Amino acid sequence: MLRDRIVTLVIFLAVWDQMGEAFANPISGSFQIQAQRQAQIQAQRPAQRQDRQERGVEGLLDELNTTPEQRKKMREIYNRYRNEITNRRQQWIQLQQELNALMVGNASEGEIRRKHEELEQVRQDKDKIQLEMLLKMRDILTPAQRDQFAEIMEQRRYQLQGDR
């Protein structure tokens, strides 16, 4: 049971992180082109991404058949953490672009490793914030809603994997 809940948390973080995002994939081509593409996406769609995420949260609340009180609490939690998560995500994107530029440039291995460590630290910080948000939201759900939530996150994870 605990293992299932941990898996659900991990799945949620993965799905949450990928919602509305196009991540650079260093394996599938030029780092520089991917960094440019990522920058264009980020510049064009910040409001659209936020709208999509909010619709995603509202859709999730609908699917879980939450009560008005649960919805209110969930929205409060989401709004409390949204800016912090968005800021970390933007930091991560910037650092990813910097790392990509270092990879195509003449940077030393040490510089590249330091940038990668910085990138991973920001990702870990973002994941911790998302986990804190999720744990607070989890406390609001009933056991039946938690089970349903795990199923929904599993479905979304498979859908995201299929979109790659």
Side-chain angles (χ1 to χ4, degrees):
M1 184 94 143
L2 178 60
R3 189 177 139 276
D4 291 341
R5 301 233 185 252
I6 292 170
V7 169
T8 299
L9 291 175
V10 171
I11 291 169
F12 176 80
L13 291 175
V15 170
W16 186 274
D17 199 42
Q18 294 174 5
M19 250 196 252
E21 298 258 352
F23 288 102
N25 181 354
I27 297 171
S28 68
S30 166
F31 291 111
Q32 191 168 20
I33 291 171
Q34 291 170 4
Q36 291 169 349
R37 187 178 314 134
Q38 183 68 28
Q40 290 170 346
I41 290 167
Q42 296 303 317
Q44 294 171 354
R45 299 190 187 161
Q48 290 174 343
R49 183 181 322 100
Q50 184 171 341
D51 288 344
R52 188 170 44 247
Q53 287 174 340
E54 287 176 7
R55 281 193 314 269
V57 170
E58 289 300 318
L60 179 63
L61 295 176
D62 288 342
E63 286 183 68
L64 294 173
N65 297 315
T66 54
T67 66
E69 184 63 25
Q70 284 176 312
R71 283 176 181 269
K72 180 181 180 229
K73 289 178 181 178
M74 296 281 266
R75 282 188 196 112
E76 288 171 359
I77 292 167
Y78 174 76
N79 289 331
R80 187 177 330 137
Y81 287 94
R82 178 181 53 192
N83 290 337
E84 203 171 347
I85 291 169
T86 298
N87 290 340
R88 291 297 192 293
R89 185 177 293 123
Q90 289 171 346
Q91 280 182 299
W92 185 89
I93 291 166
Q94 176 64 37
L95 289 169
Q96 181 68 53
Q97 291 169 352
E98 291 173 15
L99 177 62
N100 291 346
L102 291 174
M103 292 294 289
V104 297
N106 294 323
S108 70
E109 277 189 35
E111 288 175 291
I112 293 170
R113 288 181 193 282
R114 281 189 294 279
K115 186 59 68 177
H116 182 263
E117 288 172 11
E118 188 178 351
L119 176 73
E120 285 302 303
Q121 184 61 53
V122 169
R123 184 192 56 78
Q124 288 176 3
D125 291 346
K126 180 184 62 64
D127 287 350
K128 286 177 186 177
I129 295 165
Q130 286 176 321
L131 178 62
E132 288 302 315
M133 179 183 71
L134 178 61
L135 291 173
K136 290 189 183 321
M137 289 179 163
R138 179 181 173 268
D139 287 341
I140 296 168
L141 299 175
T142 66
Q145 288 170 324
R146 288 180 187 179
D147 289 341
Q148 186 179 5
F149 177 75
E151 290 174 22
I152 292 167
M153 289 298 105
E154 185 74 16
Q155 289 170 356
R156 289 185 181 185
R157 182 176 64 109
Y158 287 123
Q159 287 171 349
L160 286 172
Q161 287 175 345
D163 291 342
R164 288 184 183 178

